[in-house]
Amino acid sequence: MITRMLNSKPALATLAVSSIILGLLSACSPPSEPTSQIESVENTEQNDALVVYSSRNEHLIRPVFALFTEETGIEVEYATDKAGVLIERIKAEGKNTPADILITVDAGTLGYAAQQGIFQPLNSAAVVERVPAHLRDDSDYWTGLSLRARTIVYSTERVNPEQLSSYQDLGGSQWQGRVCLRTSKKVYNQSLVAMLIAEQGEVKAESIVSSWVANLAIPPTSNDTKLMEAILAGQCDVGIINTYYFGRLQEKQEKQEKQEKQENLSLALFWPNQADNENSGVHVNVAGVGILKHSKNAAQAKRLVEWLVSDSAQALFAGVNKEYPINDSVEINPQVASWGSFKQNPLPLSQAYVLQPAAVKLMDRAGYK
Ligand SMILES: [Fe+2]
């Protein structure tokens, strides 16, 4: 956990200035006109640093903000923590929050943040133009910034990729005792199942999840990396993971190979649900962003959001975490590109949050721990 910004003098300075200005504003603007408050603040705080709360780790955002500052002259301060902690903090800070922006991962988490009332509409033509509609909020409170696929990973020693076809198929008898899954407590799997409900309906989704559970080789793993390690250890043959975890393991393995400590990584990714005739595809999710309702610097915050979806930022933002740019006009990190291309599931990611409560109950009924 990093609280660099909160304990630093610049942050306290930002907080103090913001509180003073907010005090002044509340004296001269009716509380029912939040927009005019924001405009007034923009005029007075034009050159103040932006404050970002991020559940995305420091090493993934620091180089991105450095480039933004280099290109625009606008400083960015940030605090990182778990998404739930940051959302609670924003709620507790209310109008006095020093933060302008929340960056977090998973459409379900972004939807939860929006539902808590902490965001204001993005209202950005650039976002609409740059970000495909299914990868941003249909109420305009958040947008995706980078794309990750939650796809099938398999042992190249024990699985012929021709045996693989779809998420549903992992419940088939040929995978009896050969499947690994990460815990159902992880939001990534809750979003995956939510989207399965959106696509297949609840009854069919439940029978799919039950069939996965029946095929489990070992109890669900605590994370995606442990899942891949279980395949490498021969405990199971197939599983479902986020692509960037595969990228990290691949990179680690390559380094060890160079030192002649390891053999080739005997894992590969498979893109399920690719048939032309079905309105389906690989389950994707996003890292995303929203501008806080109580941002004192909303115009600059919007500038950062729009910059983040621009070409110059996208390759870096997505590339540092081995993710895909949100817009396919941007070049993909070469390692990520080497995994091949795939058809995304076109369902709107806003559905992930809406259907998550049903997904959690469904996984419980299916015995998915
Ligand atoms: Fe992750």
Side-chain angles (χ1 to χ4, degrees):
M1 186 179 82
I2 299 148
T3 50
R4 162 191 162 138
M5 186 280 296
L6 268 192
N7 298 326
S8 69
K9 282 181 183 163
L12 291 174
T14 305
L15 179 61
V17 169
S18 303
S19 305
I20 292 162
I21 289 170
L22 196 76
L24 291 173
L25 281 170
S26 54
C28 61
S29 330
S32 56
E33 290 177 50
T35 315
S36 63
Q37 280 191 9
I38 289 158
E39 278 168 12
S40 306
V41 174
E42 280 159 26
N43 295 336
T44 50
E45 290 204 342
Q46 204 64 45
N47 297 314
D48 268 12
L50 277 169
V51 177
V52 178
Y53 285 179
S54 171
S55 74
R56 202 167 154 105
N57 289 341
E58 187 186 17
H59 72 278
L60 301 176
I61 52 174
R62 196 191 325 109
V64 179
F65 294 153
L67 182 62
F68 176 70
T69 303
E70 195 184 305
E71 290 192 5
T72 63
I74 301 168
E75 300 282 340
V76 179
E77 294 170 356
Y78 52 86
T80 64
D81 210 323
K82 292 199 165 101
V85 174
L86 293 174
I87 292 167
E88 283 312 305
R89 188 152 114 195
I90 291 163
K91 283 164 64 183
E93 289 169 343
K95 286 185 175 177
N96 294 323
T97 185
D100 300 295
I101 276 177
L102 174 68
I103 291 179
T104 187
V105 297
D106 193 277
T109 305
L110 287 156
Y112 171 75
Q115 194 266 338
Q116 297 299 298
I118 65 169
F119 292 148
Q120 57 176 292
L122 295 169
N123 215 354
S124 164
V127 166
V128 170
E129 187 192 326
R130 303 279 309 169
V131 182
H134 68 293
L135 304 178
R136 50 185 159 84
D137 181 28
D138 53 16
S139 300
D140 198 35
Y141 285 109
W142 56 264
T143 179
L145 293 175
S146 58
L147 185 90
R148 61 274 300 282
R150 193 153 186 78
T151 196
I152 294 176
V153 62
Y154 65 93
S155 162
T156 52
E157 288 171 350
R158 298 182 299 280
V159 175
N160 178 343
E162 285 174 15
Q163 298 168 301
L164 291 160
S165 62
S166 65
Y167 294 106
Q168 301 84 294
D169 175 70
L170 292 183
S173 56
Q174 69 275 33
W175 301 112
Q176 176 71 53
R178 300 174 71 189
V179 173
C180 268
L181 292 174
R182 181 181 186 159
T183 169
S184 64
K185 308 291 177 288
K186 183 68 192 177
V187 70
Y188 303 154
N189 282 332
Q190 294 168 4
S191 290
L192 171 70
V193 173
M195 299 310 275
L196 212 53
I197 294 172
E199 183 179 277
Q200 307 271 348
E202 200 162 334
V203 171
K204 195 140 178 236
E206 184 167 342
S207 83
I208 293 167
V209 174
S210 298
S211 68
W212 290 348
V213 172
N215 279 349
L216 281 178
I218 57 171
T221 63
S222 58
N223 63 48
D224 286 12
T225 304
K226 288 214 163 69
L227 188 156
M228 288 184 285
E229 287 167 358
I231 297 179
L232 290 171
Q235 294 178 291
C236 49
D237 297 338
V238 288
I240 300 173
I241 55 153
N242 279 2
T243 40
Y244 56 90
Y245 292 110
F246 176 77
R248 288 178 197 170
L249 193 64
Q250 208 176 30
E251 189 174 67
K252 190 173 152 200
Q253 195 87 3
E254 272 163 23
K255 277 186 193 150
Q256 289 176 335
E257 266 172 57
K258 277 191 191 137
Q259 296 164 1
E260 291 172 15
K261 286 187 194 158
Q262 287 286 334
E263 310 250 306
N264 254 338
L265 187 66
S266 55
L267 291 175
L269 296 176
F270 178 82
W271 307 120
N273 300 64
Q274 297 294 288
D276 289 338
N277 57 358
E278 56 178 329
N279 193 26
S280 184
V282 174
H283 170 63
V284 292
N285 209 322
V286 290
V289 66
I291 298 174
L292 299 191
K293 184 170 71 184
H294 294 305
S295 164
K296 317 298 183 303
N297 217 348
Q300 300 283 59
K302 187 168 160 181
R303 196 165 160 199
L304 174 57
V305 171
E306 293 185 340
W307 180 83
L308 285 168
V309 299
S310 73
D311 281 4
S312 65
Q314 273 290 296
L316 179 62
F317 187 88
V320 285
N321 194 34
K322 305 183 192 308
E323 288 180 83
Y324 297 87
I326 204 74
N327 176 311
D328 57 16
S329 71
V330 178
E331 207 170 316
I332 300 171
N333 167 299
Q335 183 192 353
V336 175
S338 74
W339 307 332
S341 56
F342 59 89
K343 181 177 76 163
Q344 295 173 28
N345 193 312
L347 282 166
L349 276 182
S350 290
Q351 289 290 306
Y353 173 68
V354 177
L355 291 168
Q356 249 175 24
V360 170
K361 284 186 197 149
L362 184 157
M363 289 191 283
D364 193 41
R365 287 197 302 273
Y368 180 4
K369 302 278 188 227

